Amino acid sequence: MSGKRRLLQGYTFMAPALAVIIIFTFVPIIYALYMMFFKVDLLAGTRTFVGLDNYGKIFSDPKFWAAFKNTGEYVMVVVPIQTIIAMVLASLLNSKIKFNRLFLSIMFIPTLTSSSAMTLIFMWLFNNNGLVVNMIDSLFGTKVQFITNPDLALAVIMIMNIFSTVPHFMIVFLSGLQDIPPVLYEAASIDGAGKIKQFFYVTVPQLMPVTFYVITMGVVGCFQIFDQAFILSNGSGGPQNSTLTFTLYIYQLAFTSNDMGRATAMAFILGIIIFMVTFIVNKVMKADEVNG
C-alpha cells in the first residue's frame, strides 16, 4: 500500500471523530467569539453590535465580583483539602490495612451518586430543621442556620463537593502509589526514616505527577461548579449572592436576563481565568520536571 493511500485511509478513519469535534467544539467556540460583541435577545431574535460594551457591563455588575469572590474562595478551600484527604486515605489503603476493600467500596459510593441527589441529601442535612442543625442544637444548645445564612451557605457546598470528589481522587492516588518502587521505602527505612518521614520524603515527591493532575482537575471542576449552587439556591445564588458562582452567573445572564452576548463574554472570562490558574499551578509545581 502506497504512502498516499495509507494517509487517505487514516484520515478516513479519523473523519467521524474530527467531524464531531469540529461541529460540536470548534464551531460553537467561533460562534461564541462572534456573539460576545453583540447584544443578543434570544426571545426577540434580535442582535445589536455593542463591541466591548458587554465586558464593561460585566465588570461593573456587583454580581460578577460576588461570583469572583465566591468561586475564588471555593477553589482555594476545596482543592487543597480534597487533595490532602485523598492522598492520605490512599496511603492508608495502600498500607494494607484490614478491610481495605470494604472501606474502598464504601468510600466510593458518593462518587456513584449523582450531584443532584447529593445536593438534595445535603439540603436535608443542613436545612433549618435538618439532622446536622438539630445535632448541633442538642450538643451545644445553639441553632445554627446554614443554608439561609450568607456566611455559611457556601460552606455547605464546599463540604458536599469534598465529600463527593475525595473518593475519585483517592483512587487516582492509589493507582499512583502502586507504581512507586518498594525499594525506595526499603532504602528510606535502612536510613532510619519512619513511616511519617517516608510519606513526606518518598511518597509525596513520587506522587507529584499524579498530584498535579488531581489539583488541575480539581481547579477546573471547582471553577465550573453549577448544579449544586443552582439547586441549593433555587437558581438565585442566594442568600445575598453568597452561593453565586461563575457558571451560575453565566446561566442567569443567558436565561434570566436574556442576554446571550454578555453570557458568552462571561464564559470567555471564565475560560481565561481557568487557563491562567492552571498555568500558574503548572509553573509552581514544575510538572514538566518531576519524575514520572
Side-chain angles (χ1 to χ4, degrees):
M1 186 183 292
S2 64
K4 289 184 178 180
R5 186 180 177 84
R6 275 201 301 266
L7 186 63
L8 179 61
Q9 188 180 59
Y11 280 118
T12 303
F13 283 119
M14 292 171 57
L18 289 174
V20 171
I21 293 173
I22 291 171
I23 294 172
F24 294 103
T25 302
F26 289 110
V27 171
I29 290 174
I30 294 172
Y31 187 60
L33 278 169
Y34 170 76
M35 285 183 63
M36 69 182 182
F37 297 108
F38 291 82
K39 177 176 175 56
V40 182
D41 190 326
L42 293 177
L43 297 178
T46 59
R47 190 179 342 179
T48 307
F49 180 77
V50 294
L52 297 176
D53 188 52
N54 284 328
Y55 288 96
K57 288 181 179 179
I58 288 173
F59 290 126
S60 62
D61 188 353
K63 278 192 168 185
F64 167 78
W65 297 108
F68 185 88
K69 173 179 174 292
N70 294 337
T71 309
E73 289 180 359
Y74 187 85
V75 171
M76 287 188 290
V77 172
V78 171
V79 174
I81 292 178
Q82 71 183 8
T83 303
I84 292 171
I85 293 177
M87 183 185 293
V88 172
L89 289 176
S91 298
L92 290 174
L93 286 173
N94 194 55
S95 64
K96 307 297 186 295
I97 61 174
K98 198 174 182 180
F99 305 123
N100 60 346
R101 290 185 181 276
L102 177 62
F103 178 72
L104 182 61
S105 301
I106 294 173
M107 282 293 297
F108 205 68
I109 291 175
T111 303
L112 304 177
T113 307
S114 69
S115 58
S116 300
M118 188 67 67
T119 305
L120 293 175
I121 292 171
F122 270 76
M123 286 179 68
W124 173 74
L125 289 172
F126 287 92
N127 65 31
N128 294 343
N129 291 310
L131 180 64
V132 175
V133 173
N134 291 333
M135 188 179 297
I136 294 174
D137 187 22
S138 62
L139 291 174
F140 304 102
T142 303
K143 197 82 170 179
V144 181
Q145 307 297 328
F146 286 94
I147 295 178
T148 57
N149 188 336
D151 296 325
L152 297 176
L154 187 63
V156 175
I157 303 178
M158 291 178 180
I159 296 170
M160 176 171 47
N161 189 278
I162 292 170
F163 179 75
S164 59
T165 56
V166 160
H168 168 71
F169 291 135
M170 179 184 68
I171 298 299
V172 175
F173 276 122
L174 191 57
S175 64
L177 286 168
Q178 304 296 321
D179 293 332
I180 299 178
V183 66
L184 295 178
Y185 292 104
E186 294 172 4
S189 179
I190 292 173
D191 289 339
K195 293 294 183 182
I196 296 178
K197 284 190 175 181
Q198 288 179 25
F199 176 78
F200 283 105
Y201 292 101
V202 178
T203 303
V204 173
Q206 289 295 314
L207 284 178
M208 283 300 288
V210 179
T211 305
F212 171 72
Y213 167 80
V214 169
I215 291 177
T216 302
M217 296 305 296
V219 167
V220 173
C222 287
F223 270 113
Q224 294 180 341
I225 182 172
F226 170 76
D227 46 354
Q228 295 97 327
F230 180 86
I231 296 172
L232 193 73
S233 66
N234 198 24
S236 66
Q240 300 178 21
N241 293 329
S242 60
T243 59
L244 184 66
T245 62
F246 274 127
T247 50
L248 183 54
Y249 179 59
I250 293 171
Y251 172 87
Q252 290 180 352
L253 289 174
F255 301 107
T256 302
S257 302
N258 192 29
D259 192 344
M260 190 60 71
R262 269 200 298 163
T264 54
M266 181 60 202
F268 273 94
I269 293 174
L270 175 59
I272 292 171
I273 291 174
I274 292 176
F275 174 80
M276 290 176 61
V277 173
T278 306
F279 179 79
I280 292 171
V281 170
N282 189 7
K283 288 298 181 183
V284 170
M285 296 189 67
K286 298 186 168 115
D288 296 334
E289 300 177 12
V290 295
N291 296 322

Short mmCIF file of all heavy atoms in Angstrom, two decimals, residues 31-61:
data_model
loop_
_atom_site.label_atom_id
_atom_site.label_comp_id
_atom_site.label_asym_id
_atom_site.label_seq_id
_atom_site.Cartn_x
_atom_site.Cartn_y
_atom_site.Cartn_z
N TYR A 31 -18.45 30.71 17.01
CA TYR A 31 -19.72 31.45 17.04
C TYR A 31 -19.85 32.26 18.33
O TYR A 31 -20.35 33.38 18.32
CB TYR A 31 -20.89 30.48 16.92
CG TYR A 31 -22.24 31.17 16.78
CD1 TYR A 31 -22.49 32.02 15.71
CD2 TYR A 31 -23.24 30.98 17.72
CE1 TYR A 31 -23.70 32.66 15.57
CE2 TYR A 31 -24.46 31.61 17.59
CZ TYR A 31 -24.69 32.45 16.51
OH TYR A 31 -25.91 33.09 16.38
N ALA A 32 -19.35 31.71 19.45
CA ALA A 32 -19.38 32.43 20.72
C ALA A 32 -18.47 33.66 20.66
O ALA A 32 -18.80 34.72 21.21
CB ALA A 32 -18.98 31.51 21.86
N LEU A 33 -17.30 33.51 20.02
CA LEU A 33 -16.40 34.66 19.82
C LEU A 33 -17.10 35.77 19.06
O LEU A 33 -16.89 36.96 19.33
CB LEU A 33 -15.15 34.21 19.06
CG LEU A 33 -14.04 33.56 19.87
CD1 LEU A 33 -13.00 32.95 18.94
CD2 LEU A 33 -13.38 34.58 20.79
N TYR A 34 -17.93 35.39 18.13
CA TYR A 34 -18.69 36.36 17.34
C TYR A 34 -19.81 37.00 18.18
O TYR A 34 -20.01 38.21 18.16
CB TYR A 34 -19.26 35.66 16.10
CG TYR A 34 -20.27 36.47 15.32
CD1 TYR A 34 -19.86 37.52 14.50
CD2 TYR A 34 -21.62 36.17 15.39
CE1 TYR A 34 -20.78 38.26 13.78
CE2 TYR A 34 -22.55 36.91 14.66
CZ TYR A 34 -22.13 37.94 13.86
OH TYR A 34 -23.04 38.67 13.15
N MET A 35 -20.51 36.19 18.95
CA MET A 35 -21.67 36.67 19.71
C MET A 35 -21.32 37.59 20.86
O MET A 35 -22.13 38.44 21.25
CB MET A 35 -22.47 35.47 20.25
CG MET A 35 -23.28 34.75 19.22
SD MET A 35 -24.25 33.41 19.97
CE MET A 35 -25.32 34.33 21.06
N MET A 36 -20.11 37.46 21.42
CA MET A 36 -19.81 38.25 22.61
C MET A 36 -19.65 39.74 22.30
O MET A 36 -19.55 40.55 23.22
CB MET A 36 -18.55 37.71 23.30
CG MET A 36 -17.26 37.93 22.57
SD MET A 36 -15.89 37.19 23.50
CE MET A 36 -14.51 37.63 22.46
N PHE A 37 -19.62 40.09 21.03
CA PHE A 37 -19.56 41.51 20.65
C PHE A 37 -20.95 42.07 20.32
O PHE A 37 -21.05 43.19 19.83
CB PHE A 37 -18.63 41.70 19.45
CG PHE A 37 -17.20 41.32 19.74
CD1 PHE A 37 -16.65 40.18 19.20
CD2 PHE A 37 -16.42 42.11 20.58
CE1 PHE A 37 -15.34 39.83 19.47
CE2 PHE A 37 -15.11 41.76 20.85
CZ PHE A 37 -14.56 40.62 20.30
N PHE A 38 -21.99 41.30 20.61
CA PHE A 38 -23.34 41.72 20.29
C PHE A 38 -24.23 41.64 21.53
O PHE A 38 -23.96 40.88 22.47
CB PHE A 38 -23.95 40.83 19.20
CG PHE A 38 -23.33 41.01 17.84
CD1 PHE A 38 -22.14 40.37 17.52
CD2 PHE A 38 -23.92 41.83 16.90
CE1 PHE A 38 -21.56 40.53 16.27
CE2 PHE A 38 -23.34 42.00 15.64
CZ PHE A 38 -22.16 41.35 15.33
N LYS A 39 -25.29 42.42 21.51
CA LYS A 39 -26.37 42.25 22.49
C LYS A 39 -27.40 41.36 21.81
O LYS A 39 -28.03 41.75 20.84
CB LYS A 39 -26.98 43.59 22.87
CG LYS A 39 -28.16 43.46 23.84
CD LYS A 39 -28.69 44.81 24.28
CE LYS A 39 -29.93 44.66 25.15
NZ LYS A 39 -29.72 43.80 26.32
N VAL A 40 -27.57 40.16 22.33
CA VAL A 40 -28.40 39.14 21.69
C VAL A 40 -29.64 38.90 22.54
O VAL A 40 -29.54 38.56 23.73
CB VAL A 40 -27.63 37.83 21.50
CG1 VAL A 40 -28.50 36.80 20.79
CG2 VAL A 40 -26.34 38.07 20.72
N ASP A 41 -30.80 39.09 21.94
CA ASP A 41 -32.07 38.79 22.59
C ASP A 41 -32.62 37.52 21.96
O ASP A 41 -33.08 37.53 20.81
CB ASP A 41 -33.06 39.95 22.41
CG ASP A 41 -34.31 39.79 23.25
OD1 ASP A 41 -34.75 38.63 23.44
OD2 ASP A 41 -34.85 40.80 23.72
N LEU A 42 -32.54 36.41 22.70
CA LEU A 42 -32.96 35.12 22.14
C LEU A 42 -34.45 35.08 21.85
O LEU A 42 -34.88 34.48 20.86
CB LEU A 42 -32.59 33.99 23.11
CG LEU A 42 -31.09 33.72 23.30
CD1 LEU A 42 -30.89 32.62 24.34
CD2 LEU A 42 -30.43 33.32 21.99
N LEU A 43 -35.25 35.70 22.71
CA LEU A 43 -36.70 35.64 22.54
C LEU A 43 -37.15 36.45 21.33
O LEU A 43 -37.99 36.01 20.53
CB LEU A 43 -37.41 36.14 23.80
CG LEU A 43 -37.17 35.30 25.07
CD1 LEU A 43 -37.88 35.93 26.27
CD2 LEU A 43 -37.66 33.87 24.85
N ALA A 44 -36.58 37.65 21.19
CA ALA A 44 -36.97 38.51 20.05
C ALA A 44 -36.20 38.14 18.79
O ALA A 44 -36.60 38.53 17.69
CB ALA A 44 -36.72 39.97 20.40
N GLY A 45 -35.10 37.42 18.93
CA GLY A 45 -34.30 37.05 17.77
C GLY A 45 -33.52 38.21 17.20
O GLY A 45 -33.16 38.19 16.02
N THR A 46 -33.24 39.22 18.02
CA THR A 46 -32.51 40.41 17.56
C THR A 46 -31.06 40.35 17.99
O THR A 46 -30.70 39.69 18.97
CB THR A 46 -33.15 41.69 18.11
OG1 THR A 46 -33.14 41.64 19.55
CG2 THR A 46 -34.58 41.82 17.61
N ARG A 47 -30.22 41.07 17.25
CA ARG A 47 -28.79 41.11 17.53
C ARG A 47 -28.29 42.50 17.21
O ARG A 47 -28.46 42.98 16.09
CB ARG A 47 -28.09 40.06 16.70
CG ARG A 47 -26.65 39.83 17.06
CD ARG A 47 -26.02 38.75 16.21
NE ARG A 47 -27.02 37.91 15.56
CZ ARG A 47 -26.73 36.91 14.76
NH1 ARG A 47 -25.48 36.62 14.51
NH2 ARG A 47 -27.67 36.20 14.20
N THR A 48 -27.64 43.16 18.21
CA THR A 48 -27.15 44.52 18.03
C THR A 48 -25.68 44.56 18.40
O THR A 48 -25.29 44.12 19.49
CB THR A 48 -27.93 45.51 18.94
OG1 THR A 48 -29.33 45.37 18.71
CG2 THR A 48 -27.49 46.93 18.64
N PHE A 49 -24.86 45.10 17.49
CA PHE A 49 -23.42 45.17 17.75
C PHE A 49 -23.14 46.19 18.84
O PHE A 49 -23.58 47.34 18.78
CB PHE A 49 -22.68 45.57 16.48
CG PHE A 49 -21.18 45.66 16.65
CD1 PHE A 49 -20.41 44.52 16.69
CD2 PHE A 49 -20.56 46.90 16.81
CE1 PHE A 49 -19.03 44.58 16.87
CE2 PHE A 49 -19.19 46.98 16.97
CZ PHE A 49 -18.43 45.82 17.00
N VAL A 50 -22.41 45.77 19.89
CA VAL A 50 -22.08 46.66 21.00
C VAL A 50 -20.58 46.70 21.28
O VAL A 50 -20.14 47.37 22.21
CB VAL A 50 -22.83 46.23 22.28
CG1 VAL A 50 -24.34 46.42 22.12
CG2 VAL A 50 -22.50 44.79 22.65
N GLY A 51 -19.79 45.96 20.51
CA GLY A 51 -18.35 45.95 20.71
C GLY A 51 -17.96 45.35 22.05
O GLY A 51 -18.40 44.25 22.40
N LEU A 52 -17.15 46.08 22.83
CA LEU A 52 -16.69 45.60 24.13
C LEU A 52 -17.61 46.03 25.27
O LEU A 52 -17.25 45.87 26.45
CB LEU A 52 -15.27 46.11 24.39
CG LEU A 52 -14.19 45.62 23.43
CD1 LEU A 52 -12.86 46.28 23.75
CD2 LEU A 52 -14.05 44.10 23.47
N ASP A 53 -18.79 46.54 24.93
CA ASP A 53 -19.71 47.02 25.96
C ASP A 53 -20.15 45.90 26.89
O ASP A 53 -20.43 46.13 28.07
CB ASP A 53 -20.93 47.67 25.30
CG ASP A 53 -21.83 48.36 26.31
OD1 ASP A 53 -21.32 49.18 27.09
OD2 ASP A 53 -23.04 48.07 26.34
N ASN A 54 -20.23 44.66 26.38
CA ASN A 54 -20.63 43.53 27.23
C ASN A 54 -19.65 43.35 28.39
O ASN A 54 -20.06 43.07 29.52
CB ASN A 54 -20.70 42.25 26.41
CG ASN A 54 -21.95 42.19 25.56
OD1 ASN A 54 -23.00 42.70 25.94
ND2 ASN A 54 -21.85 41.56 24.39
N TYR A 55 -18.36 43.52 28.10
CA TYR A 55 -17.36 43.37 29.15
C TYR A 55 -17.46 44.51 30.16
O TYR A 55 -17.29 44.29 31.37
CB TYR A 55 -15.96 43.33 28.54
CG TYR A 55 -15.66 42.04 27.82
CD1 TYR A 55 -15.82 41.92 26.45
CD2 TYR A 55 -15.22 40.92 28.52
CE1 TYR A 55 -15.56 40.73 25.78
CE2 TYR A 55 -14.96 39.73 27.88
CZ TYR A 55 -15.13 39.65 26.51
OH TYR A 55 -14.87 38.46 25.86
N GLY A 56 -17.75 45.72 29.68
CA GLY A 56 -17.93 46.84 30.59
C GLY A 56 -19.09 46.61 31.55
O GLY A 56 -18.99 46.90 32.75
N LYS A 57 -20.19 46.07 31.03
CA LYS A 57 -21.35 45.78 31.88
C LYS A 57 -21.04 44.69 32.90
O LYS A 57 -21.49 44.75 34.04
CB LYS A 57 -22.54 45.37 31.01
CG LYS A 57 -23.15 46.50 30.21
CD LYS A 57 -24.34 46.00 29.39
CE LYS A 57 -24.99 47.14 28.61
NZ LYS A 57 -26.13 46.67 27.79
N ILE A 58 -20.28 43.69 32.46
CA ILE A 58 -19.94 42.60 33.37
C ILE A 58 -19.08 43.10 34.53
O ILE A 58 -19.36 42.82 35.70
CB ILE A 58 -19.20 41.47 32.62
CG1 ILE A 58 -20.17 40.72 31.70
CG2 ILE A 58 -18.54 40.50 33.59
CD1 ILE A 58 -19.51 39.71 30.79
N PHE A 59 -18.03 43.86 34.22
CA PHE A 59 -17.11 44.32 35.27
C PHE A 59 -17.74 45.37 36.18
O PHE A 59 -17.25 45.59 37.29
CB PHE A 59 -15.83 44.87 34.64
CG PHE A 59 -14.97 43.81 34.01
CD1 PHE A 59 -14.55 43.92 32.69
CD2 PHE A 59 -14.57 42.70 34.73
CE1 PHE A 59 -13.76 42.94 32.11
CE2 PHE A 59 -13.78 41.71 34.17
CZ PHE A 59 -13.37 41.83 32.85
N SER A 60 -18.80 46.02 35.73
CA SER A 60 -19.49 46.99 36.58
C SER A 60 -20.66 46.38 37.34
O SER A 60 -21.32 47.07 38.12
CB SER A 60 -20.00 48.17 35.73
OG SER A 60 -20.95 47.72 34.77
N ASP A 61 -20.90 45.10 37.13
CA ASP A 61 -22.00 44.41 37.80
C ASP A 61 -21.52 43.85 39.14
O ASP A 61 -20.59 43.04 39.16
CB ASP A 61 -22.52 43.29 36.90
CG ASP A 61 -23.79 42.65 37.45
OD1 ASP A 61 -24.19 42.98 38.58
OD2 ASP A 61 -24.38 41.82 36.75
#
